[in-house]
Amino acid sequence: MGVRENKVEKRITKGVEKLGGFTEKWGTLSNPDMVIFCHSIVDFLEVKTVNGVKSTGQTRRIKKMQDHGANAFFIKGHKEADEYLVELEKRINKC
């Protein structure tokens, strides 16, 4: 059995807090699961397990958000969570 989605979310939350930011749980009506606030950066994350499947509604919502300039991403598992946190730190350092 793989890692549960809430474990991936907790990993992201801890990483964001270490970078000086905070997270909010969202995840209603195909909206992304998490909103990340870190310095001047706001990201929207749909979190899945490694084997998790994106719904059509989630895919549409993320694309619509991206089309309107939002930072919206799918994150699958711990590996992608860690990669996201590395990229977030790089973006913070550019600010």
Side-chain angles (χ1 to χ4, degrees):
M1 184 170 163
V3 175
R4 294 180 57 157
E5 193 173 291
N6 69 338
K7 299 280 188 188
V8 179
E9 290 174 356
K10 286 179 184 177
R11 187 181 193 105
I12 293 168
T13 296
K14 286 181 183 179
V16 169
E17 288 172 350
K18 284 181 183 176
L19 295 171
F22 69 98
T23 66
E24 291 288 331
K25 184 75 172 149
W26 203 16
T28 58
L29 258 113
S30 297
N31 286 323
D33 294 318
M34 303 177 76
V35 184
I36 309 300
F37 300 91
C38 200
H39 303 272
S40 62
I41 296 168
V42 178
D43 288 343
F44 300 89
L45 306 182
E46 178 59 42
V47 179
K48 296 290 182 194
T49 63
V50 171
N51 298 320
V53 178
K54 305 175 219 177
S55 74
T56 302
Q58 291 167 333
T59 301
R60 269 196 307 253
R61 180 61 56 116
I62 291 289
K63 180 168 180 349
K64 184 175 184 178
M65 294 173 83
Q66 291 170 337
D67 289 348
H68 286 273
N71 299 319
F73 309 99
F74 283 104
I75 303 292
K76 290 185 85 172
H78 281 166
K79 182 177 182 242
E80 287 189 14
D82 292 343
E83 290 168 357
Y84 166 77
L85 292 167
V86 167
E87 290 303 313
L88 178 60
E89 186 171 18
K90 288 178 186 175
R91 290 166 54 210
I92 290 167
N93 291 333
K94 287 183 181 178
C95 293

